Amino acid sequence: MAGLEPEERTDKHRWKLGGIVGWRPSRRMQTAEETQKSQQAAAMRGLLHYAKPYKRQFAGVLGCTVIAISADLLQPFIVKIAIDDHLMKGGAEFRPLLLLGGLYLLLSLLALLFSYFQNQLIQRAGQGIVKKLREDLFRHLSRLSPSFYDRMSSGGLVTHISGDTETVSQFFTQVCLSLVRDGMTLAFILFLMFQLDPVLAGYSLLLLPAIALIAALFRSYMRQTYQLSRTRLSRLIAFTAENLSGMNIVQAFRQEREQEKLFEDRNSSYYEANLREIRTNVLFNRSFDLLGNLSVAFVTWLGGRAVYGDGLEFGVLYAFITYIRQFFQPINSITQQWNTLQAASVSMERIWKLFQTKSELNETDSQSIGSSGDPRLAAGAVRFDNVRFGYSPDEPVLHGINLHIEPGRRIGIVGTTGAGKSSLISLLCRFYEAQQGTVSIDGVDVREIPLKQLNRAVGLVQQEPYLFSGSIIDNVRLFDPSISEEQVLQACSFVGADTMIQRLPYGYATMLSEKGSGLSAGERQLISFARIVVFRPSILILDEATANLDSSTEKMVQHALDAVSEGRTTIVIAHRISTVMDADTILVLRSGRIAESGTHGELMRRGGYYARLYAHSQGQADEHSAG
Ligand SMILES: Nc1ncnc2c1ncn2[C@@H]1O[C@H](COP(=O)(O)OP(=O)(O)OP(=O)(O)O)[C@@H](O)[C@H]1O
Ligand SMILES: [Mg+2]
C-alpha cells in the first residue's frame, strides 16, 4: 500500500506548536548570529510550552527544595547550640542535649524525605515533558513528505528522537534542579554565615570569586575534552553501524582488513580522548578539594585567632567550618550545569528546526470522510494532464505526460532503467507532487484527496515491499482491527502464501522484524500481495512486483493477481516484456516521455522502439534458453 499511516491523523496536535511559539523572522535582514539567537529563543519558548502542564509539579519541587535545604543546613546550627550553650558552659544536663540530638535526627530525616520527593517530582515532570516531545516529534516526522527523507539520513533522525530528547530531559532534571537547589543552598549558607558572624562571613566571601573563577576555567577546559570524546565516540559508533549493516558487502569485496584498520584508528583516538577526559576530571576534582581544604584552613586560622581572643564562640567556628565545606559542592554543581545547558539548547534548536519543517504535501481535512474509503474513488479512472515533474525543479524527470486510463483497464508500462516509470507512479500515490499539470483519480485531483483515502484507493506493490515489525497477520491487515483474521487467512491462501507461512515457526503469529528479515524477497512479496487482496483498492499498481519470484511461484501469483485485478484498474511496470504483453494498453516510456502506446500487436506492427525492446528481450531469452 502506498505511503502508510501508522495511526489516525490527529490534526488538533499538528501545528499547535508553531502557533503558540509563533516564531517569525523579522523583515529586516538578520545576521546569522541574530537568526541563531532568535531560533534559540523560539526553541526555549517551545520548551517552556511543554513545561506548562507541569506547573504544579515545579511548584512542588520548589517547596520540597526549600524544606530539604533548610533541614540540611540547620543541622550544623543545632550542633553549634549544643556546643556553645551546653557543652562549653559545663554542667551535666543531659535532657537538652538529648533533645538537640533528637532534633538533629529529625532534621536529617526531613532532609532525606524531601529530597526524595523533590527528585520524584522533577523526574516525573522532566520525563513527562520528554515523552510528549518524542510523541510529537515522531508524529510530525511520520507526516513529512518523501522528499524530506530523500534529504535526511535516518541515522540523524534517530539521534534527534533518542539523543536530543534525552538531553532536553536532562535540562529539566539536572539544570533546572541544580539552579534551584544549589542556588538556594548557596544563598542559605551565606545567610546563615552572616547570621553567625558578619566579620568572618565577610572574609569568607572574599574566597567566593576565586573559587568561581577557577571552577569556570576548569569547566571550559573540561567541556572541550568532553566534546572531543563525544565526537570521537559518535564517529566510532557510526562507523561500526555502517559496517555491521553492510557486512555482506565488506566480506564480498574482501575489505575486512581495511575496515579493521579504520576501526582501530577510530577506536584508539576515542581511547585517547577518553583518557584525557578522565585525567582532567580527576585533576579538577582534586584541585577543588584542595581549594576547599585551603579555605577551611583559612577560616580555622582566622576564626581560631578570634576564638582565642574571645571574640568568637567555639560552636560558631564549628558551624562556620562546616558551612565552608558545604559551600563548594553547589558551586561545583552549578558550573557543571553549563555543559548540559549548552547541549540542551543545541538539541532543542535541532528538534525545533524539525518541527518547523512542513510537509510539502498539503493535507486536506481527513475528518470529513469516513475511514472506510472515499466513495468518489470507486471506479478507478486515472488521468495525467500535461504533468511535468522533477525531484529538484531544475532537473525534470517527466516532461508533459498525458495519460487517460479508463476504469478497469490493464495498463503495462515498459522502458529502460531511469526512464521515469516509478516516478510516474509516485505522483499517482502522491509521494511527490507534480510541478505542473494535474494527476486525478475519477476526476478528483489527487492533491484534494486525503492521504488516507488515497492509500485505500491505490494499492502499490513494489519490488522491495516494506514490512512492519509485527505479526504476519498485522502486516497483511496493516494493524487494522476491523479486518478479521479469517479474511487475512483467506487472502494468504488466495495468493498462495499459505504453505510458506505454515512452515514458519509460529505460522501466522510469527513476528517479523523491520525489513521483514527472515523472509526471502519473494516471500515478502507474497505477503504484500495478500495485503492487496485484503484491501481491494480500486487501482492496483505493480512496480517490478514479480521480479523476485521464481517462475513457478510467479505463475501462481500471476493467477491470483489476475483474479484480484478483475474489474480493477491495474498498472503493471515490468522489465520483462512478457509480463505486460497481454495488457489492454502498453505505454513505452523513454527519458520521461511517453514514446509509444498501444497493444502489443499494434506496437509490434509499428516496428518502433517497443519492437526493438521486444526483439532485444527475445534475444536475451534465446541466449538464456541456449545457455
Ligand atoms: N528520490 C529521488 N531523488 C532524486 N532523483 C531521483 C529519485 N528517484 C529517482 N530519481 C531519478 O529520476 C529518474 C527516474 O527514476 P525512476 O525511478 O522513475 O526510473 P524507473 O523508470 O523506475 O527506473 P527502474 O526501471 O530502474 O526502476 C532517474 O534519473 C533517477 O535518478
Ligand atoms: Mg523503478
Side-chain angles (χ1 to χ4, degrees):
M1 294 256 118
L4 293 164
E5 294 283 335
E7 54 187 316
E8 192 81 32
R9 253 157 227 280
T10 45
D11 283 317
K12 69 176 190 287
H13 291 296
R14 230 177 139 199
W15 302 118
K16 193 167 78 179
L17 302 165
I20 285 180
V21 172
W23 176 75
R24 300 261 185 289
S26 83
R27 285 179 196 263
R28 187 171 60 87
M29 285 295 277
Q30 288 181 319
T31 65
E33 200 178 323
E34 274 176 328
T35 317
Q36 204 199 352
K37 280 254 167 63
S38 62
Q39 277 275 12
Q40 272 174 352
M44 268 299 153
R45 261 175 291 160
L47 197 57
L48 289 183
H49 161 65
Y50 273 93
K52 236 181 184 170
Y54 294 93
K55 262 192 284 196
R56 281 169 53 189
Q57 267 93 333
F58 283 112
V61 169
L62 211 64
C64 289
T65 312
V66 171
I67 299 178
I69 291 176
S70 313
D72 212 23
L73 293 180
L74 281 175
Q75 290 166 16
F77 213 82
I78 302 284
V79 179
K80 174 221 164 252
I81 294 172
I83 294 175
D84 288 346
D85 297 357
H86 301 282
L87 295 175
M88 297 300 278
K89 293 242 168 82
E93 272 197 77
F94 274 112
R95 275 178 65 87
L97 279 181
L98 205 64
L99 208 69
L100 284 172
L103 199 59
Y104 190 94
L105 193 69
L106 189 72
L107 284 177
S108 22
L109 283 179
L110 269 182
L112 187 85
L113 201 66
F114 278 86
S115 340
Y116 173 77
F117 288 149
Q118 165 214 49
N119 234 310
Q120 283 292 307
L121 282 174
I122 197 119
Q123 287 295 345
R124 199 161 284 197
Q127 301 298 342
I129 289 168
V130 172
K131 175 168 172 278
K132 178 88 178 72
L133 192 62
R134 270 196 296 262
E135 270 166 24
D136 285 350
L137 195 58
F138 186 75
R139 184 179 296 123
H140 178 68
L141 286 175
S142 64
R143 305 276 185 279
L144 291 180
S145 38
S147 52
F148 169 78
Y149 292 96
D150 286 347
R151 295 191 302 267
M152 280 297 273
S153 81
S154 58
L157 291 174
V158 169
T159 315
H160 287 315
I161 296 189
S162 58
D164 283 347
T165 54
E166 210 40 54
T167 323
V168 170
S169 124
Q170 284 173 359
F171 170 77
F172 289 105
T173 53
Q174 289 179 17
V175 178
C176 286
L177 184 63
S178 160
L179 285 185
V180 170
R181 189 187 54 203
D182 300 318
M184 266 190 206
T185 309
L186 272 183
F188 212 68
I189 290 180
L190 282 176
F191 170 77
L192 283 172
M193 291 198 330
F194 272 98
Q195 280 292 312
L196 287 169
D197 190 296
V199 180
L200 203 52
Y203 277 116
S204 311
L205 216 55
L206 287 180
L207 292 171
L208 196 61
I211 303 169
L213 186 72
I214 292 174
L217 284 178
F218 247 112
R219 282 289 167 208
S220 104
Y221 181 65
M222 278 166 70
R223 190 159 56 242
Q224 287 166 19
T225 58
Y226 173 80
Q227 271 162 359
L228 189 73
S229 76
R230 287 306 99 174
T231 324
R232 290 188 179 173
L233 176 64
S234 57
R235 257 176 47 197
L236 183 69
I237 292 175
F239 181 83
T240 312
E242 257 170 43
N243 255 269
L244 290 181
S245 65
M247 193 53 87
N248 48 355
I249 309 281
V250 171
Q251 290 172 347
F253 286 92
R254 296 264 159 268
Q255 290 291 306
E256 295 96 331
R257 277 276 154 76
E258 285 75 1
Q259 297 299 315
E260 265 166 38
K261 175 89 190 48
L262 290 173
F263 181 85
E264 268 163 30
D265 288 348
R266 285 169 176 73
N267 198 16
S268 14
S269 80
Y270 174 53
Y271 165 82
E272 272 152 27
N274 241 346
L275 281 188
R276 195 175 129 188
E277 190 196 341
I278 292 164
R279 206 168 45 232
T280 322
N281 258 324
V282 172
L283 208 63
F284 171 75
N285 287 331
R286 290 291 86 87
S287 331
F288 220 65
D289 282 351
L290 187 71
L291 207 64
N293 289 332
L294 281 177
S295 312
V296 170
F298 176 65
V299 169
T300 315
W301 175 66
L302 264 183
R305 277 172 37 148
V307 171
Y308 276 128
D310 262 354
L312 193 71
E313 286 173 305
F314 180 65
V316 174
L317 181 61
Y318 163 81
F320 239 93
I321 291 174
T322 319
Y323 287 138
I324 281 285
R325 275 224 166 280
Q326 288 183 348
F327 211 63
F328 281 80
Q329 202 274 327
I331 293 183
N332 189 7
S333 158
I334 286 181
T335 54
Q336 201 169 3
Q337 297 318 316
W338 182 244
N339 290 348
T340 321
L341 183 66
Q342 282 201 324
S345 93
V346 170
S347 290
M348 197 55 214
E349 213 185 311
R350 277 200 295 236
I351 293 177
W352 212 247
K353 276 203 191 119
L354 275 185
F355 274 129
Q356 301 273 320
T357 317
K358 299 214 166 138
S359 179
E360 278 150 41
L361 309 173
N362 298 312
E363 175 56 326
T364 25
D365 188 10
S366 58
Q367 312 294 325
S368 53
I369 309 160
S371 64
S372 54
D374 191 337
R376 294 178 300 172
L377 311 177
V382 176
R383 250 188 109 106
F384 280 67
D385 285 306
N386 199 22
V387 170
R388 274 167 213 284
F389 168 72
Y391 291 92
S392 62
D394 46 328
E395 283 174 48
V397 170
L398 298 173
H399 315 263
I401 299 283
N402 282 299
L403 180 62
H404 303 167
I405 304 176
E406 281 166 31
R409 305 289 273 191
R410 188 180 165 86
I411 305 294
I413 303 182
V414 293
T416 50
T417 289
K421 305 181 292 292
S422 301
S423 308
L424 194 75
I425 295 312
S426 299
L427 296 182
L428 186 57
C429 298
R430 211 168 144 230
F431 296 152
Y432 298 88
E433 277 178 12
Q435 273 101 17
Q436 233 184 65
T438 52
V439 179
S440 59
I441 297 175
D442 291 328
V444 189
D445 192 324
V446 287
R447 281 171 292 203
E448 282 156 24
I449 305 172
L451 286 174
K452 202 169 168 67
Q453 314 301 331
L454 187 64
N455 297 340
R456 284 276 170 142
V458 182
L460 171 66
V461 183
Q462 287 164 303
Q463 190 170 7
E464 289 290 331
Y466 184 83
L467 299 182
F468 295 88
S469 10
S471 70
I472 293 204
I473 293 196
D474 282 335
N475 262 291
V476 172
R477 66 179 174 191
L478 294 175
F479 304 90
D480 183 346
S482 70
I483 294 164
S484 71
E485 295 192 7
E486 281 306 297
Q487 279 170 284
V488 173
L489 298 192
Q490 272 170 15
C492 288
S493 65
F494 189 71
V495 296
D498 202 38
T499 35
M500 175 275 282
I501 296 172
Q502 300 287 0
R503 272 203 306 271
L504 294 173
Y506 299 98
Y508 283 87
T510 305
M511 298 300 277
L512 302 178
S513 52
E514 173 202 6
K515 290 185 186 166
S517 54
L519 295 185
S520 77
E523 289 166 341
R524 272 181 273 155
Q525 209 72 293
L526 286 177
I527 290 180
S528 69
F529 283 127
R531 273 183 195 163
I532 296 290
V533 175
V534 162
F535 284 91
R536 303 194 168 275
S538 55
I539 300 166
L540 176 56
I541 302 172
L542 309 173
D543 188 350
E544 282 295 328
T546 49
N548 286 327
L549 305 178
D550 62 49
S551 51
S552 75
T553 316
E554 187 186 349
K555 271 209 190 80
M556 189 170 63
V557 167
Q558 202 62 54
H559 209 68
L561 278 179
D562 287 345
V564 183
S565 59
E566 187 67 39
R568 264 166 244 287
T569 311
T570 310
I571 301 175
V572 182
I573 297 177
H575 276 133
R576 267 181 287 182
I577 287 191
S578 58
T579 319
V580 294
M581 243 161 61
D582 58 344
D584 297 323
T585 310
I586 298 170
L587 302 173
V588 184
L589 215 59
R590 201 176 174 186
S591 312
R593 290 191 172 81
I594 296 180
E596 292 167 20
S597 72
T599 61
H600 176 70
E602 286 166 1
L603 290 172
M604 287 308 286
R605 276 195 292 283
R606 215 170 141 175
Y609 185 55
Y610 179 83
R612 285 207 297 282
L613 282 179
Y614 183 71
H616 188 65
S617 68
Q618 284 305 101
Q620 275 181 344
D622 291 345
E623 263 170 47
H624 278 294
S625 52

